[in-house]
């Protein structure tokens, strides 16, 4: 694995190690650093997108010497988010993502014994924010599609008044800018996320490339036609689950 030059960082390590190339003891290491903000991991299937995210997911734990991932690290409070249809939800404020339900059901203290994929994912995010996570990790393969994005054609057919879900694409920027919580998202199916990303990593044959400039140029050349659906600011509830 080699870091793109634009993403390379040097960090001091608490326990110096001998380097394989020279045998000399090194007190710092150079490698790829993912900065705070909204980061997309894109690329074709089987090119290493999910593998990279899984390495970050496991990076909250220390690895034994010789594991090969000793220096693949992530902030200790990173939270892997996925849809968990069928999970129980108990008094979670999911209103930033789910509101305007039929029959006027309240979503500020939402309960369910059998949550849907989108509702369970909304609950997972809100619970992660409640416990103070500063980094959300998501892979589109395990996310609810209708929770991640609604394109312009679907918005035209199904009016927002009839859609209770505010998609993640319309909150991810706010989650960082207002709450200071970063997101690393594996996505290969929607270029609409280029508009809200700070960094775009392109995986090609398991090598990481910095594709941020290309993604921004494409976003400016092919403007999205979708409308933002977050009509109200993200509101958090303070609660202590028992």
């Amino acid at each position: 694995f080699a870091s793109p030059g634009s993403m390379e960082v040097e960090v001091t390590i608490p326990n110096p190690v001998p380097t394989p190339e020279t045998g000399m003891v090194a007190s710092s290491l150079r490698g790829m650093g993912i900065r705070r903000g909204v980061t997309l991991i894109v690329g074709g299937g089987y090119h290493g997108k999910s593998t990279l995210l899984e390495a970050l997911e496991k990076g909250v734990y220390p690895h034994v010497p010789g594991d090969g991932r000793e220096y693949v690290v992530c902030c200790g409070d990173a939270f892997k988010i996925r849809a968990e249809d069928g999970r129980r939800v108990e008094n979670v404020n999911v209103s930033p993502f789910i509101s305007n339900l039929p029959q006027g059901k309240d979503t500020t203290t939402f309960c369910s014994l059998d949550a849907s994929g989108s509702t369970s994912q909304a609950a997972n995010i809100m619970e992660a924010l409640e416990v103070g996570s500063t980094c959300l990790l998501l892979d589109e393969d395990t996310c609810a599609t209708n929770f991640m994005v609604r394109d312009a054609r679907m918005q035209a057919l199904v009016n927002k008044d009839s859609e209770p879900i505010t998609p993640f694409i319309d909150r991810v920027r706010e989650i960082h800018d207002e709450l200071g919580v970063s997101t690393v998202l594996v996505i290969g199916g929607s270029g609409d996320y280029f508009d809200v990303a700070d960094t775009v990593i392109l995986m090609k044959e398991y090598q990481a490339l910095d594709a941020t400039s290309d993604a921004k140029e494409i976003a400016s050349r092919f403007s999205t036609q979708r409308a933002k659906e977050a009509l109200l600011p993200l509101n958090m509830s303070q609660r202590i689950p028992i």
Side-chain angles (χ1 to χ4, degrees):
F1 185 87
S3 171
S6 59
M7 299 185 68
E8 196 170 81
V9 297
E10 183 169 353
V11 294
T12 301
I13 54 178
N15 301 302
V17 295
T19 58
E21 296 82 4
T22 65
M24 298 178 63
V25 174
S27 59
S28 64
L29 291 176
R30 297 186 68 84
M32 186 175 79
I34 298 177
R35 293 172 174 81
R36 294 181 182 275
V38 179
T39 299
L40 308 182
I41 303 175
V42 305
Y46 300 96
H47 279 261
K49 303 187 303 295
S50 295
T51 302
L52 177 57
L53 190 78
E54 287 171 7
L56 294 174
E57 178 186 347
K58 301 299 190 297
V60 301
Y61 305 114
H63 299 296
V64 298
D67 178 272
R69 300 172 295 176
E70 296 94 325
Y71 298 105
V72 180
V73 297
C74 190
C75 53
D77 58 13
F79 206 110
K80 176 66 189 302
I81 300 294
R82 62 167 296 152
E84 291 184 277
D85 47 316
R87 66 154 283 188
R88 176 178 176 173
V89 177
E90 188 66 33
N91 289 324
V92 179
N93 179 10
V94 297
S95 63
F97 295 104
I98 312 290
S99 60
N100 192 31
L101 291 180
Q103 290 83 50
K105 185 174 181 179
D106 180 35
T107 58
T108 59
T109 53
F110 184 79
C111 299
S112 175
L113 296 176
D114 185 22
S116 68
S118 56
T119 305
S120 65
Q121 190 167 343
N124 285 340
I125 290 175
M126 297 309 295
E127 288 170 341
L129 298 178
E130 283 182 348
V131 299
S133 175
T134 61
C135 181
L136 306 179
L137 307 174
L138 297 91
D139 189 330
E140 66 176 358
D141 285 351
T142 55
C143 291
T145 301
N146 61 336
F147 181 81
M148 298 305 292
V149 66
R150 283 211 314 148
D151 64 20
R153 289 177 173 176
M154 191 58 70
Q155 287 181 329
L157 180 63
V158 181
N159 189 273
K160 176 58 181 172
D161 293 340
S162 302
E163 175 52 77
I165 301 172
T166 297
F168 187 65
I169 189 173
D170 293 327
R171 291 293 190 193
V172 65
R173 191 74 254 166
E174 184 182 9
I175 288 173
H176 175 259
D177 295 345
E178 299 300 325
L179 303 180
V181 178
S182 298
T183 295
V184 181
L185 167 63
V186 168
I187 192 152
S190 177
D192 285 339
Y193 271 88
F194 293 170
D195 291 321
V196 296
D198 296 301
T199 305
V200 180
I201 300 171
L202 171 65
M203 296 301 293
K204 187 173 183 180
E205 296 181 353
Y206 285 85
Q207 290 300 312
L209 306 172
D210 185 354
T212 306
S213 296
D214 290 341
K216 292 299 183 183
E217 190 274 330
I218 290 169
S220 63
R221 188 150 45 99
F222 302 103
S223 61
T224 181
Q225 301 300 311
R226 68 178 305 276
K228 185 175 180 179
E229 296 188 316
L231 303 180
L232 297 172
L234 189 152
N235 63 305
M236 294 280 296
S237 296
Q238 299 298 320
R239 67 182 186 125
I240 302 176
I242 298 176

